Amino acid sequence: MKNPTEKPYRPNVGIALFSPDGRVLIGHRFKGDGPEIILPGLDWQMPQGGVDEGENLRDAALRELWEETSVKSAAYLGETDWLTYEFPPYDGPQTHRLAKFRGQRQKWFALRFTGRDDEIDPLTPRNEQPAEFDAWRWERLDRVVDLVVPFRRDVYRAVAQQFAAFAV
């Protein structure tokens, strides 16, 4: 097994999709959707996903948002610098992303939702990607850090600080 500090970070984008009243969209991860869900009750998160080689980061954010939620009605508000987090220790199949990467290197994008709630559909697979969420809701940005797995909390705190102006 490779030393975790020798593994690369997986390039990733995260999306804080703000409703007109300043709350963010969060999705509830399917039960048993991989070993990264480590504590019950902490299975909510904002949309995020990997960046394809050579893909523009803003395009990746819009693609991931669409794949995970079906949302296309979104206007760009801003973005963070790169943020990183480490994956928890993992001893499962070596084909899983937790075995290949040390953690994720993320750039987060703030987007304003310009559509209607009935556009949001996390259950229908898109781009041959399986659904990741079985439910969604709008939540206050400052509360999301308490709903996510602990190894992502520092990044979520940074995102909440940097995007606070969009949450009003």
Side-chain angles (χ1 to χ4, degrees):
M1 182 184 296
K2 203 174 193 183
N3 178 345
T5 60
E6 295 174 2
K7 295 178 189 178
Y9 285 102
R10 179 178 181 238
N12 194 276
V13 290
I15 302 98
L17 181 69
F18 287 89
S19 66
D21 69 354
R23 292 176 294 152
V24 291
L25 183 141
I26 58 172
H28 183 260
R29 298 293 302 251
F30 276 106
K31 297 290 183 225
D33 181 34
E36 58 267 33
I37 297 174
I38 56 174
L39 294 173
L42 301 176
D43 38 14
W44 290 90
Q45 69 178 56
M46 291 183 276
Q48 66 176 57
V51 177
D52 296 333
E53 190 169 337
E55 187 176 25
N56 173 282
L57 295 174
R58 195 183 300 186
D59 292 344
L62 294 172
R63 175 187 50 76
E64 283 293 335
L65 178 64
W66 176 74
E67 285 178 359
E68 295 186 7
T69 68
S70 85
V71 169
K72 288 190 170 188
S73 304
Y76 175 83
L77 296 172
E79 61 193 73
T80 66
D81 290 330
W82 287 102
L83 303 168
T84 60
Y85 67 82
E86 308 285 320
F87 287 142
Y90 178 72
D91 292 326
Q94 294 304 295
T95 54
H96 193 279
R97 69 180 168 272
L98 293 183
K100 298 177 190 175
F101 297 100
R102 171 184 188 170
Q104 300 206 95
R105 181 175 184 252
Q106 297 182 308
K107 183 170 280 274
W108 280 81
F109 290 84
L111 304 173
R112 179 75 64 198
F113 183 51
T114 59
R116 295 184 355 194
D117 282 5
D118 61 5
E119 178 180 349
I120 303 168
D121 170 20
L123 293 172
T124 302
R126 285 166 282 279
N127 276 355
E128 300 178 13
Q129 298 295 316
E132 293 187 31
F133 302 133
D134 60 9
W136 70 274
R137 72 179 198 233
W138 296 110
E139 182 57 77
R140 282 188 7 221
L141 179 62
D142 63 352
R143 291 205 58 239
V144 177
V145 71
D146 295 326
L147 303 171
V148 70
V149 290
F151 64 90
R152 290 189 175 137
R153 286 188 176 156
D154 287 344
V155 166
Y156 272 60
R157 277 187 198 95
V159 169
Q161 286 178 333
Q162 293 184 44
F163 291 165
F166 306 126
V168 286

